[in-house]
């Protein structure tokens, strides 16, 4: 990957090619996200939560709710990682705006981790 910003923009795909290109971009994002230790920990936590729900005989709607919450966590982690990549590019040294941006992204992820844990706990114990 290059950090150059003066490369020519590739032509935009249309129709079905656009959908395939979007899927490729999403998979590339997932591959990038898998490089993050925090995301791998979240995947393990999600698997543990699913195992607890299955062991606790959670209903299909409860499992579906947990899956939606987990996907929201994945989305927040992806956005947090994107923020970190951009901030690291803009401020390779220390800067207050960089710290604030990273802290706020981290807070968003933490809120969704807590929501996931609370949902699983309520479903199992409630």
């Amino acid at each position: 990957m290059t950090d150059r910003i003066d490369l020519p923009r590739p032509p935009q795909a249309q129709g079905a090619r656009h959908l395939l290109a979007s899927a490729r971009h999403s998979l590339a994002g997932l591959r990038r996200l898998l490089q993050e230790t925090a995301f791998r920990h979240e995947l393990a936590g999600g698997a543990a939560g699913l195992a607890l729900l299955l062991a606790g005989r959670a209903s299909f709607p409860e499992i579906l709710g947990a899956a939606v919450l987990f996907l929201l966590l994945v989305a927040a982690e992806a956005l947090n990682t994107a923020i970190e990549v951009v901030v690291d590019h803009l401020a390779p040294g220390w800067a207050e705006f960089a710290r604030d941006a990273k802290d706020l992204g981290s807070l968003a992820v933490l809120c969704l981790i807590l929501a996931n844990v609370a949902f699983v706990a309520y479903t199992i114990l409630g």
Side-chain angles (χ1 to χ4, degrees):
M1 189 167 126
T2 179
D3 282 341
R4 293 184 51 160
I5 57 173
D6 58 348
L7 298 174
R9 177 180 284 239
Q12 177 124 8
Q14 301 292 322
R17 293 183 76 192
H18 176 75
L19 291 175
L20 291 173
S22 295
R24 278 194 310 273
H25 294 309
S26 295
L27 288 174
L30 179 60
R31 280 192 302 276
R32 171 59 182 87
L33 199 54
L34 283 166
Q35 296 173 16
E36 296 292 317
T37 302
F39 179 63
R40 293 192 305 271
H41 289 162
E42 291 156 3
L43 282 176
L50 178 60
L52 287 171
L53 289 171
L54 292 173
R57 301 191 187 278
S59 67
F60 177 75
E62 290 168 333
I63 292 172
L64 183 61
V68 169
L69 269 176
F70 183 73
L71 288 173
L72 288 171
L73 173 59
V74 170
E77 185 63 52
L79 291 171
N80 184 45
T81 300
I83 289 167
E84 289 178 354
V85 168
V86 170
V87 165
D88 288 345
H89 178 75
L90 295 175
W94 188 90
E96 187 174 355
F97 86 90
R99 182 204 61 207
D100 290 347
K102 289 182 174 189
D103 288 351
L104 290 166
S106 180
L107 174 62
V109 170
L110 176 62
C111 289
L112 277 164
I113 289 171
L114 294 175
N116 276 264
V117 169
F119 184 83
V120 171
Y122 177 77
T123 302
I124 296 301
L125 303 174

